[in-house]
């Protein structure tokens, strides 16, 4: 049975792109001033490490200007970690719409945001891949 989890929220800040807690304010500056970061700055390194470990398992990706999809092998451990991280990011990185679903033998994460926010989040997940893409490699 396929599972689809989706929710769209509004706000600012993200552990991955550093837009909360006084880090990278380029993305945060584009968001409404009324939105507030709820991530404890001490939690950021652990959250980023979890995302980067998960993104080490990416088998395919498609990144457009406002939508990016990432495929992961469908394992119980990956599904649980992805589900938990998406729930956490919906709170602290609410300017991005987060959804994931099971498709056959893979899990597919879809992110939707304005171009600048999406670029920053993808760079946070996969900094080497983002840099290589910008350099045309």
């Amino acid at each position: 049975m396929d599972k689809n989890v989706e929710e769209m929220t509004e706000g600012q800040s993200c552990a991955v792109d550093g837009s909360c807690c006084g880090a990278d304010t380029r993305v945060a500056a584009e968001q409404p001033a009324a939105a507030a970061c709820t991530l404890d700055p001490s939690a950021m390194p652990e959250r980023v490490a979890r995302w980067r470990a998960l993104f080490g398992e990416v088998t395919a990706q498609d990144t457009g200007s406002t939508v990016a999809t990432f495929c992961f092998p469908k394992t119980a451990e990956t599904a649980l970690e992805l589900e938990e991280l998406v729930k956490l990011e919906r709170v602290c990185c609410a300017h991005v719409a987060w959804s994931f679903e099971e498709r056959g033998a893979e899990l597919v994460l879809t992110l939707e945001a304005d171009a600048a926010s999406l670029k920053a989040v993808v760079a946070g997940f996969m900094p080497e891949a983002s840099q290589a893409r910008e350099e045309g490699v």
Side-chain angles (χ1 to χ4, degrees):
M1 183 168 111
D2 286 353
K3 177 180 176 182
N4 186 18
V5 179
E6 185 172 351
E7 182 174 317
M8 190 165 185
T9 56
E10 302 208 7
Q12 80 175 32
S13 69
C14 179
V16 175
D17 70 9
S19 62
C20 64
C21 313
D24 184 358
T25 57
R26 292 173 296 181
V27 175
E30 297 173 7
Q31 302 303 318
C37 175
T38 60
L39 182 67
D40 181 337
S42 66
M44 189 180 304
E46 183 264 341
R47 179 86 54 90
V48 170
R50 287 175 67 188
W51 272 116
R52 288 195 177 164
L54 184 64
F55 267 74
E57 299 178 30
V58 167
T59 59
Q61 74 178 70
D62 181 20
T63 305
S65 63
T66 61
V67 177
T69 58
F70 304 93
C71 299
F72 302 87
K74 187 169 125 181
T75 68
E77 297 81 20
T78 301
L80 288 172
E81 182 70 344
L82 187 57
E83 185 172 13
E84 184 177 338
L85 286 170
V86 165
K87 285 179 184 178
L88 292 170
E89 293 302 326
R90 286 180 177 150
V91 173
C92 83
C93 192
H95 60 288
V96 176
W98 301 82
S99 64
F100 76 94
E101 63 184 327
E102 295 177 9
R103 287 189 202 156
E106 62 186 8
L107 299 168
V108 180
L109 172 66
T110 302
L111 307 177
E112 294 184 53
D114 64 84
S117 296
L118 186 63
K119 182 178 177 181
V121 170
V122 171
F125 287 152
M126 304 177 84
E128 297 83 12
S130 295
Q131 182 178 6
R133 193 177 64 164
E134 287 181 11
E135 294 172 356
V137 176

